[in-house]
C-alpha cells in the first residue's frame, strides 16, 4: 500500500509539472495570435478563396440548412398527419431528411474541396442546433405547449437551446480553423474565450436564474416521492457543478496537450442536463401504460425497467465519453477498465430485467386475484385472499433478494474479487446466528410449515391460542391479526399453537329460541320452513346460502320452557347477513302467529328469599 501511494504521488507530481509547462506553452501561443492571423489570411489568399468568399459560403450554408429544415418539417408533418402514426419521431425524421437535402445541394452547387468541407461544418452545426432546440422544447414544454412563449419555463428552454447552439457553432468555427491550418494560439483563443467561457456562463446563468422553475419541472406532478423532491431541490446546483466541471476538464486537457473531444463532451453534457426531464417523460409514459391489460409480460417488464436502462445509458456514456478520455489523458491504461465496465453494465441490465419481470408478473397475478368475483357489501371489509395471493408477497421478496445477491456476486467476480471467502463467511455467520437465535429460527420454520399447510390466508378470520382476528399481514416470522374492535396483535409463528379458521369453505349457524311450554311445535316447524323458503328466494342472500334455514325441533326443556332450535348452512364469513335476516323473520312470524318468546329467568341473589330476623 505504501508503494502504491508513492506511485500515485509521483504521478500527481508529473501531472502538476505537465500542467505548469502546458500553461506556459498556451500563454506563448496566445502571444503569437497576431502573426498566426496574418499567416491564415495569406494562406487563404494563396488557396484561391478569400475570407469574404468563405464567409459567403458559410452564410449560404446556414440559409440552405434552415430553409431545408423547415421545408422537411412541413413534409414530415403532412405525412404524419395523413398516416396518424410515428408522431414521436418527426424531429429525428426531419433531421435525417434535411441532412440528405443539404448534402445533395452542396454536391450540386459547391465543388469538392475546402469550400464544401467548411459548408458541411456549419450546416451540421445549424441542423444539430435546430434538432437540440426541438428536443429541449419538447421535453420541457411538451408538443402541446410550445406556444407558451412568455412562461419562465419557455424562457429557460430558449436560454438552454441558445447555449448549446453557441457551443455547436463554436465547434464549427474551430473545425473551420483546422481546415484553414490556423495556428494553435488562434484556435486556443477562439475555443476558450469565444466558445467555452460564453457557453459555460450562459448555461450557468440559465440554471441559476430559473432554478425555481427547474426544480418544479424536475419534481414532476403529484404524487411525488420524497427522494424525487429532494433531488429536484438540489438539481440546479448539480447542473451548475457539472457545467463548471466540464469547463475545467476541457481546460485541463488542453493545458496537458491532450484535448478531449469537444463535440462529444457537449453532447454528453446535453444528455446529463436533460436526463431528469427525459426520466419524467419515461415515468409518465410508463404510468399511463401500466394498467394496460392487453400488453404482454415482456412489454410490461421493459416499461418498468425503461428508467433504469436510461440511467445506465447516461452513466455509460459519461464514463465512455468523459471519464475514460480524462483517464487516458492522465496516462492511465483504460482497456481493462472499459472491458469490465461493459460486463458490469450487462449484468446490471440482466438483473434489472429479472427484477422488473418478477415484479410485473407478481403484480399481474395480484391484480387477477383482486378482480376475482366476490361479494361486495359493507360486511366484506376483509375479503379472504387465495392461497397464491397470500404467498405472493413472500415470493416477491425472496425472488428479489436472490436476484440482487446474485447480481452483486457476479459483478464482484467480474472485478476479479474472490467471492468464496465472502460466501463462506456469510454461511458461518448464518450458522452462528441460527445457534444463537433458536427462537427466531423456530418462528421462521413454523411459519413455513403453516403456509405450506395452508392454515390461514390474508383476510381470513382465525383464532389462535392467544388472539383472534382477521389476518392483516404475513411476514417472515410473525402474523398480524386485526380484532373486530380494531386492536391488532402480532404473534410469532412459534407461539401460535392451535389455529381455528372461521373463514374456510362453509359454516353451520344454529339458533336457539325459548318459547312457552304449550307452544305448538309443528306450527313452529312450518313457520321456520316458510322463513327458510323466503330467505332462499332472496336474491341478495341466496348466493351465499348453501342449505336453507329449517327447524331441528325441541332441543331441550329448561325451567318450564321449550328450547326450539333451527339451523342453516352458508359460505364462511357470509353467515352474518343471513343470520340477521332469519332473526328478523322469526321475530315477525312469532308476533303475527301469537307465539310467545320466553326470556331467560334471572337467578335470585343468594339470601334474597330469607326471612328477616
Amino acid at each position: 500500500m505504501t508503494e502504491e501511494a508513492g506511485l500515485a504521488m509521483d504521478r500527481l507530481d508529473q501531472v502538476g509539472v505537465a500542467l505548469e509547462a502546458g500553461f506556459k506553452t498556451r500563454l506563448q501561443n496566445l502571444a503569437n495570435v497576431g502573426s498566426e492571423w496574418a499567416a491564415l489570411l495569406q494562406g487563404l489568399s494563396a488557396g484561391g478563396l478569400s475570407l469574404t468568399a468563405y464567409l459567403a459560403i458559410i452564410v449560404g450554408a446556414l440559409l440552405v440548412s434552415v430553409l431545408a429544415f423547415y421545408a422537411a418539417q412541413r413534409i414530415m408533418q403532412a405525412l404524419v398527419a395523413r398516416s396518424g402514426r410515428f408522431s414521436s419521431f418527426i424531429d429525428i425524421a426531419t433531421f435525417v431528411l434535411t441532412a440528405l437535402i443539404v448534402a445533395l445541394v452542396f454536391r450540386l452547387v459547391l465543388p469538392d474541396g475546402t469550400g464544401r468541407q467548411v459548408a458541411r461544418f456549419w450546416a451540421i452545426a445549424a441542423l444539430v442546433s435546430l434538432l437540440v432546440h426541438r428536443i429541449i422544447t419538447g421535453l420541457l414544454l411538451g408538443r402541446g405547449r410550445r406556444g407558451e412563449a412568455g412562461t419562465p419555463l419557455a424562457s429557460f428552454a430558449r436560454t438552454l437551446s441558445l447555449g448549446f447552439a453557441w457551443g455547436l457553432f463554436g465547434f464549427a468555427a474551430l473545425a473551420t480553423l483546422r481546415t484553414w491550418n490556423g495556428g494553435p494560439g488562434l484556435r486556443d483563443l477562439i475555443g476558450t474565450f469565444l466558445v467555452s467561457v460564453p457557453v459555460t456562463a450562459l448555461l450557468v446563468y440559465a440554471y441559476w436564474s430559473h432554478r425555481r422553475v427547474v426544480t418544479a419541472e424536475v419534481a414532476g406532478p403529484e404524487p411525488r416521492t420524497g427522494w424525487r423532491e429532494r433531488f429536484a431541490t438540489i438539481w440546479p446546483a448539480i447542473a451548475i457543478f457539472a457545467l463548471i466541471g466540464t469547463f475545467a476538464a476541457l481546460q485541463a486537457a488542453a493545458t496537458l496537450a491532450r484535448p478531449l473531444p469537444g463535440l462529444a463532451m457537449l453532447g454528453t453534457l446535453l444528455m446529463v442536463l436533460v436526463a431528469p426531464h427525459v426520466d419524467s417523460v419515461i415515468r409518465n409514459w410508463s404510468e399511463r401504460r401500466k394498467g394496460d391489460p392487453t400488453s404482454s409480460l415482456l412489454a410490461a417488464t421493459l416499461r418498468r425497467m425503461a428508467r433504469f436502462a436510461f440511467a445506465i445509458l447516461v452513466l455509460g456514456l459519461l464514463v465512455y465519453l468523459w471519464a475514460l478520455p480524462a483517464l487516458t489523458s492522465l496516462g492511465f491504461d483504460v482497456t481493462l477498465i472499459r472491458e469490465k465496465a461493459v460486463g458490469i453494465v450487462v449484468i446490471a441490465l440482466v438483473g434489472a430485467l429479472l427484477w422488473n419481470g418478477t415484479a410485473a408478473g407478481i403484480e399481474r397475478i395480484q391484480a387477477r386475484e383482486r378482480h376475482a368475483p366476490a361479494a361486495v357489501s359493507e360486511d366484506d371489509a376483509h375479503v379472504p385472499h387465495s392461497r397464491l395471493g397470500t404467498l405472493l408477497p413472500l415470493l416477491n421478496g425472496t425472488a428479489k433478494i436472490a436476484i440482487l445477491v446474485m447480481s452483486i456476486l457476479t459483478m464482484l467476480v467480474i472485478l476479479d474479487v474472490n467471492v468464496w471467502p465472502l460466501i463462506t463467511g456469510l454461511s458461518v455467520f448464518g450458522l452462528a446466528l441460527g445457534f444463537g437465535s433458536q427462537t427466531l429460527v423456530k418462528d421462521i420454520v413454523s411459519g413455513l410449515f403453516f403456509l405450506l399447510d395452508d392454515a390461514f390466508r390474508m383476510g381470513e378470520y382465525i383464532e389462535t391460542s392467544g388472539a383472534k382476528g382477521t389476518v392483516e399481514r404475513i411476514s417472515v416470522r410473525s402474523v398480524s391479526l386485526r380484532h373486530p374492535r380494531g386492536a391488532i396483535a402480532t404473534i410469532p409463528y412459534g407461539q401460535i399453537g392451535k389455529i381455528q379458521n372461521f373463514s374456510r369453505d362453509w359454516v353451520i349457524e344454529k339458533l336457539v329460541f325459548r318459547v312457552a311450554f304449550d307452544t305448538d311445535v309443528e306450527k313452529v316447524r312450518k313457520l321456520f320452513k316458510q322463513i327458510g323458503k323466503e330467505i332462499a328466494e332472496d336474491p341478495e342472500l341466496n348466493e351465499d346460502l348453501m342449505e336453507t334455514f329449517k327447524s331441528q325441533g325441541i332441543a331441550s326443556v329448561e325451567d318450564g320452557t321449550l328450547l326450539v332450535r333451527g339451523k342453516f348452512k352458508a359460505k364462511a364469513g357470509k353467515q352474518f347477513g343471513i343470520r340477521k335476516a332469519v332473526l328478523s323473520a322469526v321475530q315477525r312470524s312469532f308476533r303475527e302467529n301469537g307465539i310467545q318468546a320466553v326470556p331467560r329467568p334471572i337467578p335470585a341473589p343468594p339470601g334474597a328469599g330469607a326471612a328477616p330476623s
Side-chain angles (χ1 to χ4, degrees):
M1 291 179 62
T2 305
E3 184 179 356
E4 293 293 335
L7 292 175
M9 292 299 296
D10 291 340
R11 178 161 297 188
L12 289 176
D13 290 338
Q14 295 174 5
V15 171
V17 172
L19 283 173
E20 183 180 359
F23 185 71
K24 293 179 180 179
T25 302
R26 292 183 68 181
L27 291 178
Q28 184 178 359
N29 291 334
L30 289 175
N32 299 327
V33 168
S35 59
E36 290 179 358
W37 176 252
L40 175 66
L41 295 178
Q42 185 178 359
L44 291 179
S45 300
L49 289 176
S50 63
L51 181 61
T52 305
Y54 276 113
L55 291 178
I57 291 175
I58 291 173
V59 173
L62 294 177
L63 290 175
V64 169
S65 301
V66 173
L67 293 176
F69 183 86
Y70 285 106
Q73 184 181 17
R74 290 291 184 89
I75 296 173
M76 296 307 302
Q77 286 176 346
L79 293 175
V80 169
R82 185 177 303 174
S83 64
R85 302 173 62 187
F86 309 112
S87 60
S88 301
F89 302 98
I90 186 172
D91 293 335
I92 298 177
T94 300
F95 176 80
V96 174
L97 181 59
T98 307
L100 294 176
I101 295 173
V102 171
L104 180 61
V105 171
F106 287 171
R107 181 173 290 275
L108 294 176
V109 175
L110 295 174
D112 189 11
T114 307
R116 185 189 294 180
Q117 191 173 2
V118 171
R120 286 174 180 171
F121 292 151
W122 290 88
I124 291 174
L127 294 180
V128 175
S129 298
L130 291 171
L131 179 62
V132 168
H133 173 69
R134 299 283 297 179
I135 292 174
I136 291 176
T137 307
L139 287 174
L140 296 180
L141 300 179
R143 295 185 179 275
R145 298 163 52 194
R146 284 178 174 170
E148 299 180 5
T151 61
L153 191 59
S155 174
F156 171 71
R158 286 195 303 270
T159 309
L160 201 62
S161 301
L162 177 61
F164 281 99
W166 193 315
L168 290 169
F169 285 118
F171 288 128
L174 291 174
T176 302
L177 285 177
R178 292 191 187 92
T179 304
W180 291 345
N181 295 320
L186 187 60
R187 294 199 307 269
D188 193 6
L189 176 66
I190 293 178
T192 300
F193 297 101
L194 296 182
V195 180
S196 296
V197 172
V199 169
T200 303
L202 190 60
L203 294 179
V204 168
Y205 166 77
Y207 274 94
W208 178 253
S209 61
H210 299 88
R211 56 188 181 276
R212 291 186 177 86
V213 69
V214 171
T215 298
E217 179 66 17
V218 173
E222 297 285 352
R224 305 167 181 167
T225 58
W227 75 267
R228 184 82 185 186
E229 291 185 350
R230 290 190 292 270
F231 174 77
T233 303
I234 64 174
W235 172 246
I238 295 177
I240 292 174
F241 177 79
L243 290 168
I244 297 175
T246 303
F247 174 79
L250 288 172
Q251 295 305 311
T255 304
L256 292 172
R258 295 178 180 179
L260 298 174
L263 189 59
M265 295 289 288
L266 186 64
T268 308
L269 184 61
L270 173 64
M271 177 167 290
V272 171
L273 295 180
V274 303
H277 308 287
V278 176
D279 178 74
S280 297
V281 172
I282 296 175
R283 181 186 61 176
N284 295 334
W285 168 76
S286 178
E287 289 295 329
R288 286 197 305 269
R289 300 292 303 276
K290 186 176 181 180
D292 187 4
T294 61
S295 62
S296 63
L297 179 61
L298 178 60
T301 302
L302 294 177
R303 281 198 302 270
R304 290 178 63 95
M305 67 173 296
R307 296 174 66 188
F308 180 81
F310 176 72
I312 291 294
L313 175 63
V314 172
L315 291 176
L317 287 176
L318 282 176
V319 171
Y320 187 79
L321 297 176
W322 194 355
L324 293 183
L327 292 174
T328 302
S329 65
L330 294 176
F332 290 93
D333 183 11
V334 297
T335 304
L336 186 61
I337 298 176
R338 184 184 293 111
E339 294 176 356
K340 293 184 180 297
V342 171
I344 291 175
V345 168
V346 171
I347 295 301
L349 291 176
V350 172
L353 181 65
L354 295 176
W355 178 289
N356 290 283
T358 301
I362 289 179
E363 278 188 2
R364 290 199 167 197
I365 297 174
Q366 288 177 334
R368 195 180 303 123
E369 293 289 327
R370 286 194 299 267
H371 290 86
V376 180
S377 66
E378 295 181 357
D379 295 330
D380 296 332
H382 301 281
V383 179
H385 293 198
S386 65
R387 185 178 187 184
L388 182 60
T390 300
L391 295 176
L392 279 178
L394 296 178
L395 294 176
N396 185 26
T398 303
K400 287 184 175 180
I401 291 175
I403 292 171
L404 180 62
V405 171
M406 292 301 298
S407 300
I408 293 175
L409 291 178
T410 307
M411 292 178 184
L412 292 177
V413 171
I414 292 177
L415 294 174
D416 295 331
V417 176
N418 187 5
V419 299
W420 289 111
L422 179 62
I423 296 175
T424 304
L426 290 176
S427 302
V428 173
F429 177 74
L431 186 61
L433 183 64
F435 282 115
S437 305
Q438 296 183 16
T439 303
L440 176 63
V441 174
K442 177 184 177 182
D443 292 337
I444 295 175
V445 174
S446 299
L448 176 63
F449 282 105
F450 276 129
L451 294 177
L452 290 177
D453 292 339
D454 195 20
F456 51 83
R457 301 172 185 172
M458 290 287 292
E460 290 186 336
Y461 189 89
I462 65 173
E463 181 177 356
T464 69
S465 57
K468 59 182 177 180
T470 303
V471 179
E472 189 169 278
R473 187 179 64 88
I474 295 176
S475 67
V476 177
R477 63 171 296 273
S478 64
V479 59
S480 297
L481 304 181
R482 175 76 67 175
H483 193 272
R485 295 182 179 179
I488 188 167
T490 301
I491 311 169
Y493 293 122
Q495 301 178 15
I496 286 180
K498 177 184 176 182
I499 291 180
Q500 281 187 292
N501 194 327
F502 295 94
S503 301
R504 192 65 57 86
D505 300 331
W506 49 266
V507 64
I508 293 178
E509 187 78 11
K510 294 185 177 182
L511 306 174
V512 180
F513 305 93
R514 299 174 63 89
V515 297
F517 189 79
D518 57 352
T519 302
D520 187 351
V521 179
E522 181 63 19
K523 184 177 182 180
V524 173
R525 185 189 66 80
K526 292 179 180 179
L527 291 176
F528 281 10
K529 183 177 181 181
Q530 180 63 28
I531 292 172
K533 184 178 180 181
E534 293 175 358
I535 296 296
E537 293 175 352
D538 190 337
E540 296 182 359
L541 300 177
N542 59 6
E543 185 178 351
D544 300 323
L545 188 66
M546 301 179 68
E547 291 183 6
T548 186
F549 178 68
K550 60 185 177 180
S551 173
Q552 288 189 291
I554 300 174
S556 63
V557 178
E558 184 179 290
D559 296 329
T561 60
L562 298 180
L563 272 64
V564 182
R565 186 164 60 186
K567 71 172 184 177
F568 65 89
K569 185 177 181 180
K571 295 179 181 178
K574 309 295 183 181
Q575 72 271 22
F576 303 106
I578 301 175
R579 175 190 175 97
K580 187 190 308 180
V582 168
L583 291 176
S584 298
V586 169
Q587 182 194 32
R588 184 181 63 255
S589 297
F590 279 7
R591 185 176 61 250
E592 293 175 353
N593 291 273
I595 298 176
Q596 181 182 2
V598 179
R600 182 187 296 273
I602 301 176
S613 56

